Amino acid sequence: MKIQDIQAVQELLSTPKKIAIIPHRGPDGDAMGSTLGLYHFLLKNHHYPTVISPNEFPDFLAWMPGADKIKIYEKDRENCTALLQEAELIFTLDFNALHRTGEMENVLAQLQSPFIMIDHHQNPDDYAAVTYSDTSFGSTCEMLYNFITALGKKDDIDFTIGTCIYTGILTDSGSFKFPKTTGTTHRIVAELIDLGVQNTEIPSLLFDNSSYGRLQILGRALQNMIIYPKFKTAYTTLTQEELNSFNYVKGDTEGIVNYGLSIQGIHFAAIFIENKEEKIIKISFRSQGDFDVNQFAREHFNGGGHRNAAGGKSELTMEETQKKFEDLLTKISI
Ligand code: 5GP
Ligand code: MN
């Protein structure tokens, strides 16, 4: 963090404040971990923080400390709008463009209070008084650890804050496997474990909580997978009908896209998931190596993310979306 940014944050936090903390829509482990970690840190420092999520968080994160206190904008617009308007300071974590909050964007864009952004995605928008943005980090939670440390408050990181930070580092690093995982990441995790953070229990809470339906969905997605060895590509699809037939609940498709990459010689994987309610095909892209899926998602599917993990959407039908994707494969080099 830049020294003038640290001083600006210290100044903003020098008196107790009402503070809103916002994750992106469809919050994942890193968005939940960073917002809740910051929430507990601000509570400890005598502020009045509230985490306001644009929509519901997935059930497998409901055990996280403070998750029960999170306000959900799309379930309680009136109260959440009032909380946002009363906030003297707004943190946005794990995203860098207000449209990632869905319809909450309209309210956020009107607020007069200063914003602080902590985020590790590419190309941050210019809406924050303090922008702590760095794509070299594997997770916003690792940045939050640095943020608290830079404020001279490292000793505030306790079991509860550590549990939140650990969760985001674990989930966004693919259990410490992704390329941005460094020695420093492991040293931070080691410190968190020394604080008592449950490094056996947390992965189990996150990953060993499958339902029968979720496994059936995974099975169908694996059966639907199409591979193009020539383009080093594997992709799969799930229609709304297929999801419904296996009693789909939110979060059931998380991580399925990665299976494509586990095939020998495959460096680019995608999953297309139909969402009839939102009238879109939601897409996840993953790559191994140099192929930049962030750029691909931005250029062709109205999305973004990171070099090796990105997402986007399509308003075409499933068949048309697949056709568009297959045509693009012939034009790019992976
Ligand atoms: P996932 O495929 O797990 O949903 O997302 C992978 C990465 O891409 C995440 O870092 C997420 O923030 C980003 N991402 C997913 N969907 C979108 C999208 O529609 N727009 C943008 N800009 N980023 C996305
Ligand atoms: Mn993240």
Side-chain angles (χ1 to χ4, degrees), residues 30 94 120 172:
D30 191 31
D94 202 36
H120 66 137
D172 255 28

Side-chain angles (χ1 to χ4, degrees), residues 229-287:
K230 195 171 110 189
F231 303 122
K232 304 188 181 90
T233 298
Y235 82 84
T236 189
T237 57
L238 285 166
T239 63
Q240 185 75 64
E241 204 174 313
E242 288 173 310
L243 294 173
N244 293 349
S245 73
F246 298 123
N247 302 318
Y248 166 80
V249 294
K250 209 171 151 38
D252 278 352
T253 57
E254 201 88 11
I256 295 180
V257 62
N258 295 306
Y259 283 86
L261 283 187
S262 70
I263 302 169
Q264 207 175 29
I266 296 297
H267 291 186
F268 181 28
I271 185 167
F272 299 89
I273 302 169
E274 186 178 28
N275 184 330
K276 276 254 158 82
E277 196 184 320
E278 296 189 18
K279 297 196 176 74
I280 58 165
I281 309 289
K282 180 68 194 145
I283 313 168
S284 290
F285 297 111
R286 298 290 185 271
S287 68

Side-chain angles (χ1 to χ4, degrees), residues 174-202:
S175 302
F176 314 116
K177 291 191 304 270
F178 294 160
K180 288 177 185 173
T181 311
T182 63
T184 305
T185 313
H186 281 281
R187 277 184 285 277
I188 292 170
V189 167
E191 281 179 27
L192 301 180
I193 292 170
D194 287 345
L195 289 171
V197 169
Q198 296 294 304
N199 64 312
T200 303
E201 191 191 350
I202 295 173

Side-chain angles (χ1 to χ4, degrees), residues 121-123 135 180 267-269 285-301 303-311 325 332-334:
H121 295 84
Q122 297 181 18
N123 309 326
T135 60
K180 288 177 185 173
H267 291 186
F268 181 28
F285 297 111
R286 298 290 185 271
S287 68
Q288 223 165 48
D290 292 338
F291 182 61
D292 186 345
V293 290
N294 166 52
Q295 198 190 331
F296 183 80
R298 267 173 205 274
E299 273 178 29
H300 305 293
F301 291 99
H306 314 267
R307 190 180 67 172
N308 296 123
F325 180 69
I332 54 177
S333 109
I334 297 156

Side-chain angles (χ1 to χ4, degrees), residues 87-100:
E88 298 158 272
L89 184 59
I90 298 110
F91 278 89
T92 64
L93 302 193
D94 202 36
F95 68 97
N96 61 19
L98 295 182
H99 68 82
R100 294 292 315 282

Side-chain angles (χ1 to χ4, degrees), residues 51-265:
V51 177
I52 307 174
S53 177
N55 65 341
E56 194 67 80
F57 52 82
D59 283 348
F60 74 94
L61 298 171
W63 60 271
M64 293 188 71
D68 55 326
K69 302 283 191 313
I70 295 179
K71 307 276 188 243
I72 310 289
Y73 178 81
E74 290 174 21
K75 270 173 55 181
D76 190 4
R77 288 178 181 77
E78 223 167 281
N79 264 321
C80 289
T81 301
L83 281 166
L84 288 167
Q85 286 168 347
E86 282 165 20
E88 298 158 272
L89 184 59
I90 298 110
F91 278 89
T92 64
L93 302 193
D94 202 36
F95 68 97
N96 61 19
L98 295 182
H99 68 82
R100 294 292 315 282
T101 62
E103 55 177 87
M104 199 168 142
E105 174 183 10
N106 301 325
V107 183
L108 291 176
Q110 303 293 324
L111 299 178
Q112 301 302 314
S113 296
F115 282 65
I116 298 176
M117 178 207 298
I118 307 178
D119 180 64
H120 66 137
H121 295 84
Q122 297 181 18
N123 309 326
D125 276 358
D126 186 19
Y127 60 79
V130 174
T131 297
Y132 177 32
S133 165
D134 190 335
T135 60
S136 71
F137 284 96
S139 64
T140 300
C141 276
E142 187 170 333
M143 295 179 74
L144 177 66
Y145 175 95
N146 278 357
F147 178 85
I148 294 174
T149 304
L151 296 178
K153 297 276 186 176
K154 187 174 154 179
D155 288 347
D156 281 1
I157 300 178
D158 56 14
F159 169 79
T160 304
I161 298 171
T163 295
C164 297
I165 292 177
Y166 177 86
T167 300
I169 293 179
L170 179 75
T171 54
D172 255 28
S173 68
S175 302
F176 314 116
K177 291 191 304 270
F178 294 160
K180 288 177 185 173
T181 311
T182 63
T184 305
T185 313
H186 281 281
R187 277 184 285 277
I188 292 170
V189 167
E191 281 179 27
L192 301 180
I193 292 170
D194 287 345
L195 289 171
V197 169
Q198 296 294 304
N199 64 312
T200 303
E201 191 191 350
I202 295 173
S204 183
L205 285 166
L206 294 169
F207 308 128
D208 301 338
N209 62 351
S210 208
S211 63
Y212 182 61
R214 185 185 149 95
L215 288 191
Q216 299 284 103
I217 288 170
L218 170 63
R220 177 57 59 91
L222 296 179
Q223 282 181 329
N224 289 350
M225 191 178 287
I226 296 172
I227 69 166
Y228 290 107
K230 195 171 110 189
F231 303 122
K232 304 188 181 90
T233 298
Y235 82 84
T236 189
T237 57
L238 285 166
T239 63
Q240 185 75 64
E241 204 174 313
E242 288 173 310
L243 294 173
N244 293 349
S245 73
F246 298 123
N247 302 318
Y248 166 80
V249 294
K250 209 171 151 38
D252 278 352
T253 57
E254 201 88 11
I256 295 180
V257 62
N258 295 306
Y259 283 86
L261 283 187
S262 70
I263 302 169
Q264 207 175 29

